[in-house]
Structures are given as structure tokens and as C-alpha cells.
Amino acid sequence: MIRYNEIKALPQEEQNAKLLRYFNDWSTRFTLAERVCNAMNQAILHLDVLPGEKISEEKLASVFGISRTPVREGLRRLQDLGLVTLIPNRGAEVVVFSDQEIQKIGLIRIPMDMVAAQQAMYYAGIADFDELERLCDACDKAVQDADLFGRVQWDSAFHLKIVELSRNELLLKYQNENYLRLQYMGITQFTKDQDSLQMVSLHREIVAAMRLHDEKRVCQAIYNHSAPFHHIENIEPHWFKACLLYTSPSPR
């Protein structure tokens, strides 16, 4: 399923130009380390720097015109976000997620998505559900336009909006961090267009179930949406019943 190794690396000069543009896109009100982190995040998510590619501190310092200290700090932040692995005295390397790692993340992500949706359906109003539908539209359009980056970005926006509507700040913090890794996974996994269409179409099923306050239906829709991506189709849906063992908030 993973086919990012079919993508050719950018010529060095073109890659350097893109890295510098990403770096300069961030306002000087950010620290140099933050600008390095944000620039490399963009480069990784756009596959301008490929999975498994080594990142030289010295090279980045030269490209950005800064010292190696903020470059090193920026790479540490990327490691905390789960996008690179630091190599002592050598720089960093963009992570490559195995199928097993993708599965493990799914076993955390899916129950958290279920909990978020169950809580959100009681707090959200008609306008909130309509906003989720608009995010569905944006994701559908990205798939139809073969815009992989847009499809992954809008998919994350959809799920994080649900977490936001849950009014659970701790859950939002965890899922914000989790979904950055998920965006990267989505970018580096190329599936058939029909598979993408089928997956994003389930966004609307999730919203429909939330409008009806149907907990069982919303959990099933979330499972059907995410299980194939995380290679956990062979794990029966009843495995996720454990995530339902909490006290639901009272309806408004």
C-alpha cells in the first residue's frame, strides 16, 4: 500500500529553494527554531523531503542563513511531533511508519475519535453540523481534484472540528498532536481514487449519525472510515466497546 518510494527526490537546488520559501513564509514574530520546525513540517507534508531522507543541520543552517543552534532546536521539536528521528552528531532522518506502527496509532486514534463524536453530538447545534458538512464538501472536492495534500488536510480539519465540538480540551490537545502524524501517514500512503472516495464519503455518515444522537451508528461509521487505513479490519468492531465505558454528558 505504501508507495512513497516511487516518488523521485527533488533536485538539490529545487529542494533548497522550497525549504527557504517555507522558512520565509513564517513571520519573524516566530522564533528561528519555530520557523525551522514549521518550514520542515511543510516540506515533509508536501513530500519535498521524502520519508527516510536524512536532514543535515549544517545544510539547513546554510539554506536558512542562520546558525545551527536554532536548526537543532527546530529538529528537536519535529522529533517531539513524531516526524523525524534525531541522529546523534549527524542531524535527523524523516520517519518511515511501518504497517505495525500505523496499526498501533489507529488503535489509539479510533477510540478517541469515537469518544469525541459521542460528546460532540450533545453539545453541537445545527450550525455546527452544517459546518461539518462544509468540511465534507471540501474534502470531497480535494479527492475529485486529485489533490492529495488538500484531501489529507481537510480530512484532519473534519475530525479535529468534531474534537473541538466535544468541549474536551485535553482530548483536543492529544488529537491535535496525533493528527499531525496522521496527516503525514495519509500523505505517504497512496490508494486508489475509489478507495479515497469511499473513505471520505463516510464523513457524511458520521455527521448524519451525530445529528440523530445515535451513538452506535456514529461509532460504527468512524470504525468503517478509519479501520482500513490503519490495517485493523480483522479486529472486530466489538473490540471498541471498551471506549464506550464512560458517563455520557446530558443532552442540552
Side-chain angles (χ1 to χ4, degrees), residues 110-120 166 168 171 243-244 246:
I110 294 174
M112 292 176 74
D113 278 351
M114 290 177 177
V115 171
Q118 288 170 311
Q119 293 184 2
S166 76
N168 188 323
L171 185 58
C243 81
L244 305 180
Y246 76 99

Side-chain angles (χ1 to χ4, degrees), residues 55-85:
I55 302 171
S56 163
E57 290 181 9
E58 184 177 2
K59 171 197 165 183
L60 289 186
S62 175
V63 170
F64 298 147
I66 58 178
S67 72
R68 291 178 65 173
T69 300
V71 169
R72 189 174 301 116
E73 176 58 27
L75 291 177
R76 282 200 194 99
R77 294 179 182 220
L78 276 178
Q79 179 173 249
D80 292 340
L81 294 172
L83 296 185
V84 304
T85 300

Side-chain angles (χ1 to χ4, degrees), residues 93-106:
E93 184 176 292
V94 182
V95 300
V96 178
F97 287 108
S98 67
D99 283 353
Q100 291 73 26
E101 289 168 321
I102 292 172
Q103 183 182 71
K104 288 177 182 178
I105 289 176

Side-chain angles (χ1 to χ4, degrees), residues 197-246:
L197 284 168
Q198 183 176 2
M199 288 178 67
V200 299
S201 69
L202 286 166
H203 286 162
R204 298 190 191 279
E205 170 64 10
I206 294 170
V207 179
M210 290 177 66
R211 286 185 188 271
L212 295 173
H213 290 193
D214 188 332
E215 293 188 359
K216 182 177 179 181
R217 180 177 167 187
V218 77
C219 288
Q220 187 66 59
I222 289 171
Y223 177 86
N224 292 342
H225 170 63
S226 300
F229 177 83
H230 290 284
H231 320 307
I232 57 176
E233 302 94 320
N234 293 330
I235 297 178
E236 293 297 326
H238 68 257
W239 182 91
F240 291 97
K241 286 184 179 178
C243 81
L244 305 180
L245 300 178
Y246 76 99

